[in-house]
Amino acid sequence: MPSSNRPSATQKLGLAGKLVAISVVAGVITAGLALPAVGSVGLGTKDAISDFNSLPDDFTTPPLSQSSTVYDAAGNVIATVFDRDRTVVPSDQIAPVMKQALVDIEDNRFYQHGAVDLKGILRAIDKNAAGGGVSQGASTLTQQYVKNVFVDEAGDDQKAVLAAQAQNLGRKVKEMKYAIKVEETLTKDQILTNYLNITFFGEQAYGIEAAARRYFSVHAKDLSLPQAALLAGLVQSPSGYDPIANPKTAKERRDTVLRKMAEYGSITKAQADQAIATPVTLSVTRPQQGCITAQNGEGFFCDYVKKIVTSDPAFGASNAERQALWKRGGLQIHTTLDPKAQSALQDSVTSHVYATDKAATAMTVVQPGTGKILAMGQSRPYGLNAHQTSINLNVTKAMGGGLGFPTGSTFKPIVAAAALENGIDPSQSYDSPYSMPWPRMTTCSGGVLKEGGEVHNDAKSLTGPFTMGPAMAKSVNTYFAALEADAGLCNVSQLANKMGITQQAGGEPLQVVQSMTLGSNDLTPLEMASVYATFAAHGTYCAPSAITSVTTADGKQLNVPKSACTEAMSAKTADTITGLLKGVVEDGTGAEAGLSDRPSAGKTGTTNAGKQVWFVGYTPELAGATVVSDTDAPTSLDGQKIGGHWVDQAFGGTLAGPIWQDAMSGALAGTPAQDFTGVPDLSTPQPPASGQSGSPDPQPSQSDNGQ
């Protein structure tokens, strides 16, 4: 044999590799068809068949991670949130030309072969052996789909992703077996549709619908021939053929797809030539997702909704289950947020306190009798840039908030309610001097808080005697210190517990001490709005609720947390508190906050040195709580420029009150005014009743300014 006709060493190795590869594939396919393996196959083939047979038979397609949508109570979109930007679409919502383009460039014999294309494998082996390397793959679309399933399941685990993409025989064998299973259970069109929904197309777009929106701002069903060809070409290398980053390379790849489509008869040569002559024209829609995209200040509420889904046992017994539900997505989350109330609240908080101010304000509005959160917002936008924040000042730390704020005198109505519940009459009178030692009090555990420390009123001229109504209207600290002692400190804390106040906003235990009546515990606007909603609802406390329904991608309705409503106090007590708080806005420290077109009730609060000011109030329809505070290292609001105006001295009625007033007026605009029912007339001064506070006993005081 002439030397020129003898195969070279490289060719011999290529031929040997070809024969081994053929024997391996043939053996694996034989095993896959449940036929007896040929006894003479090589060791590598036997190992591959053994691996094949040891794989489990079940292959289930996992639910794909896709976007979830959060809606307000009117059905408007608050935000779209996702772990991966994907919208799964059915076959009839994908342009036929898109399907054909993918088949022609990736697996033109897709409709002729089974799960594994032996002819294609032999062709690839022959070409790779001849070239002395690996230049052509042989995976069918079904095998590619199986690989993509494993890649998608790996998520952000880079090690698992690399394993799912490994170029080795073991991974190929695994793909082959599961591809056979897929072809047994799904039609070709179902496989193709699943493939197009799972595949990554670059630029954070997963699935054909997201890709069509990303690059062309159209739906997958509306893709044109040139557009479909470009997207089909991306599958092989989403980054390499990215039309945004590499437009020239992307066009070359698109044109290759078009030529293949003409070669296989899917389109005519004239159609291909016309499409090739068309420049790549993009209309890019950048990914917009997450609560940061919410408008009208709804980002904080959106974040709160996410915290509920990922923390409430209603959405999964374990944290891992709840996180998996959120990550999988595809949820349609309908919420309680009322767009009218939200707009009014947002307009008010941003017009009274600017985002650039040192101070910030936050407000929440809830519905008495249901606990539904109707509005939630703050003066600084939701975000991570300058003068923005991702901390929701309306809620506890566990739900994405901060450490809360001392509530000042807005806590006094809780003390008054505890007193009424324990038989003390609104006519109860105390001397109420300007300053006095804290009375002796007893904790729930029986510990005695001794007399000591000083509690004083806002002004030296503010002295008694007072009964409960005038003391509430003028926010007399010494009156409420005495009332707290007679009501029983433990009774006060237990009533607070019944209205959702069980710990401080940062998770610390509630401080059951004498200064509790002056709002020494750090609480949140959501908590305080819910407390005052209890008064409006005649003593019925309803835990806050934000979600009305959740539907999964497959249409299943999930159970959602329901607002548990319980009787916290008698209707008589609650209605008496309403009468007392009407006096605050009619002729007391909250006069500047009262509503002019309908009955309202509320209470002011100003903490030590004016570091925080509050107004919490309600109508029969709505309850809202507003706080203004320096949020960094709280300093006095006195002397600060807030909302374009210099604040001489900060008080709850004059700084927080107008924010509450504007928000509530806007939320209720156009609705008939309702009156409070069952409220006793407490406007007539009551004769002093005998009674003294318990013996004073000391506790280091946090005094409140009383307004």
Side-chain angles (χ1 to χ4, degrees):
M1 182 177 188
S3 60
S4 59
N5 294 328
R6 294 173 185 167
S8 67
T10 300
Q11 289 173 323
K12 287 178 180 179
L13 288 172
L15 180 60
K18 177 178 177 180
L19 291 172
V20 170
I22 291 172
S23 66
V24 168
V25 171
V28 168
I29 294 175
T30 299
L33 296 175
L35 296 175
V38 179
S40 60
V41 296
L43 181 60
T45 307
K46 289 180 178 179
D47 289 342
I49 294 172
S50 177
D51 289 344
F52 187 100
N53 289 330
S54 67
L55 289 169
D57 289 326
D58 58 320
F59 175 82
T60 56
T61 303
L64 297 179
S65 173
Q66 53 185 312
S67 60
S68 295
T69 306
V70 182
Y71 301 91
D72 66 20
N76 305 306
V77 174
I78 293 176
T80 298
V81 294
F82 53 75
D83 185 70
R84 288 187 171 178
D85 187 6
R86 177 190 282 121
T87 301
V88 175
V89 290
S91 176
D92 62 3
Q93 295 300 301
I94 302 174
V97 70
M98 182 66 239
K99 297 178 185 178
Q100 194 59 55
L102 181 69
V103 168
D104 286 345
I105 193 61
E106 289 294 322
D107 185 4
N108 69 290
R109 284 174 28 82
F110 177 64
Y111 293 104
Q112 283 76 53
H113 60 66
V116 181
D117 183 11
L118 184 57
K119 181 178 179 180
I121 291 172
L122 296 178
R123 182 176 64 249
I125 290 171
D126 184 62
K127 183 171 183 179
N128 292 337
V134 179
S135 62
Q136 181 169 333
S139 293
T140 64
L141 275 176
T142 307
Q143 288 173 264
Q144 291 183 43
Y145 166 64
V146 169
K147 180 185 75 172
N148 285 340
V149 167
F150 292 128
V151 170
D152 194 75
E153 284 183 325
D156 298 325
D157 185 339
Q158 191 60 29
K159 185 177 180 180
V161 170
L162 292 174
Q165 297 174 326
Q167 296 295 322
N168 57 49
L169 183 59
R171 198 261 295 173
K172 284 290 185 182
V173 167
K174 185 178 182 181
E175 280 180 13
M176 286 180 185
K177 177 159 187 175
Y178 288 137
I180 292 169
K181 186 67 176 180
V182 168
E183 292 262 357
E184 289 174 352
T185 56
L186 300 178
T187 66
K188 288 288 189 178
D189 188 64
Q190 287 173 323
I191 295 169
L192 189 55
T193 300
N194 286 1
Y195 182 102
L196 284 165
N197 275 314
I198 199 172
T199 297
F200 178 55
F201 288 88
E203 294 290 336
Q204 297 178 269
Y206 291 82
I208 190 60
E209 178 70 12
R213 296 290 299 162
R214 181 75 74 256
Y215 295 109
F216 303 112
S217 298
V218 301
H219 293 293
K221 65 182 178 65
D222 299 321
L223 288 165
S224 66
L225 172 60
Q227 291 171 340
L230 185 140
L231 295 181
L234 281 175
V235 168
Q236 187 181 92
S237 178
S239 58
Y241 297 129
D242 184 341
I244 298 173
N246 306 304
K248 182 179 178 182
T249 307
K251 184 181 186 307
E252 291 172 354
R253 177 63 175 170
R254 182 203 69 174
D255 295 349
T256 297
V257 175
L258 291 167
R259 293 187 185 96
K260 284 292 183 182
M261 294 181 75
E263 178 184 338
Y264 298 131
S266 301
I267 59 174
T268 65
K269 185 177 184 303
Q271 287 175 310
D273 290 342
Q274 182 180 6
I276 289 170
T278 304
V280 173
T281 304
L282 303 178
S283 178
V284 177
T285 298
R286 294 291 179 184
Q288 295 290 319
Q289 76 94 10
C291 294
I292 200 168
T293 64
Q295 302 297 307
N296 208 24
E298 296 169 348
F300 298 101
F301 178 78
C302 173
D303 185 74
Y304 180 69
V305 168
K306 177 183 177 182
K307 292 294 191 300
I308 293 174
V309 174
T310 55
S311 66
D312 196 292
F315 296 106
S318 68
N319 181 62
E321 288 179 46
R322 297 188 293 270
Q323 293 293 339
L325 174 67
W326 184 262
K327 185 174 182 178
R328 187 161 62 246
L331 306 175
Q332 302 295 302
I333 305 171
H334 290 267
T335 73
T336 59
L337 198 74
D338 178 76
K340 179 183 175 185
Q342 178 65 26
S343 181
L345 183 152
Q346 191 63 18
D347 287 347
S348 183
V349 296
T350 54
S351 62
H352 284 280
V353 182
Y354 298 158
T356 53
D357 289 344
K358 192 171 183 287
T361 186
M363 182 176 180
T364 296
V365 175
V366 302
Q367 186 178 61
T370 68
K372 291 180 178 179
I373 301 171
L374 303 182
M376 177 182 285
Q378 52 202 61
S379 54
R380 291 177 186 164
Y382 183 84
L384 301 174
N385 296 325
H387 309 301
Q388 297 181 343
T389 181
S390 60
I391 298 174
N392 187 350
L393 301 178
N394 284 284
V395 300
T396 62
K397 182 180 180 181
M399 298 303 291
L403 300 177
F405 307 95
T407 58
S409 291
T410 60
F411 199 89
K412 286 174 180 171
I414 300 175
V415 175
L420 295 170
E421 284 288 278
N422 285 276
I424 298 176
D425 193 84
S427 63
Q428 174 68 50
S429 176
Y430 297 106
D431 288 342
S432 312
Y434 164 69
S435 178
M436 60 181 264
W438 281 102
R440 176 188 301 272
M441 299 186 198
T442 305
T443 67
C444 294
S445 61
V448 175
L449 303 178
K450 297 180 180 179
E451 175 186 352
E454 290 289 317
V455 54
H456 60 79
N457 297 329
D458 177 52
K460 290 186 177 181
S461 60
L462 192 58
T463 58
F466 290 105
T467 57
M468 199 178 294
M472 185 73 79
K474 298 179 183 295
S475 202
V476 182
N477 292 339
T478 54
Y479 179 92
F480 280 92
L483 185 65
E484 182 182 48
D486 280 357
L489 188 59
C490 183
N491 291 329
V492 172
S493 68
Q494 288 176 344
L495 182 60
N497 294 165
K498 290 181 180 180
M499 293 187 284
I501 309 299
T502 58
Q503 61 182 6
Q504 297 192 71
E508 303 87 355
L510 206 62
Q511 294 297 301
V512 183
V513 295
Q514 287 118 316
S515 58
M516 194 174 190
T517 190
L518 303 185
S520 56
N521 284 286
D522 294 330
L523 304 176
T524 68
L526 176 57
E527 290 173 312
M528 293 306 294
S530 299
V531 166
Y532 279 54
T534 305
F535 304 140
H538 310 289
T540 298
Y541 167 75
C542 295
S545 65
I547 299 174
T548 56
S549 70
V550 176
T551 307
T552 63
D554 57 4
K556 179 184 176 182
Q557 288 277 342
L558 300 181
N559 291 326
V560 299
K562 297 297 183 182
S563 177
C565 295
T566 56
E567 183 181 305
M569 66 191 73
S570 70
K572 180 181 179 181
T573 292
D575 294 341
T576 301
I577 294 297
T578 296
L580 295 172
L581 297 182
K582 282 183 66 180
V584 174
V585 299
E586 290 170 357
D587 190 29
T589 58
E592 293 189 41
L595 303 181
S596 60
D597 63 338
R598 65 189 68 228
S600 59
K603 184 69 187 75
T604 58
T606 305
T607 65
N608 270 357
K611 293 179 180 179
Q612 292 88 20
V613 295
W614 288 77
F615 188 85
V616 189
Y618 55 97
T619 68
E621 308 94 335
L622 303 176
T626 306
V627 64
V628 182
S629 175
D630 185 337
T631 58
D632 296 326
T635 56
S636 177
L637 299 171
D638 296 350
Q640 289 194 35
K641 191 174 186 180
I642 300 176
H645 304 283
W646 293 101
V647 176
D648 181 30
Q649 190 171 7
F651 292 110
T654 56
L655 187 53
I659 301 172
W660 180 91
Q661 183 185 65
D662 287 352
M664 297 291 275
S665 294
L668 292 167
T671 64
Q674 297 183 29
D675 204 352
F676 292 111
T677 59
V679 177
D681 183 7
L682 301 174
S683 59
T684 303
Q686 297 125 348
S690 61
Q692 296 295 326
S693 63
S695 303
D697 64 86
Q699 171 72 17
S701 70
Q702 168 170 346
S703 64
D704 175 83
N705 287 345
Q707 295 208 21

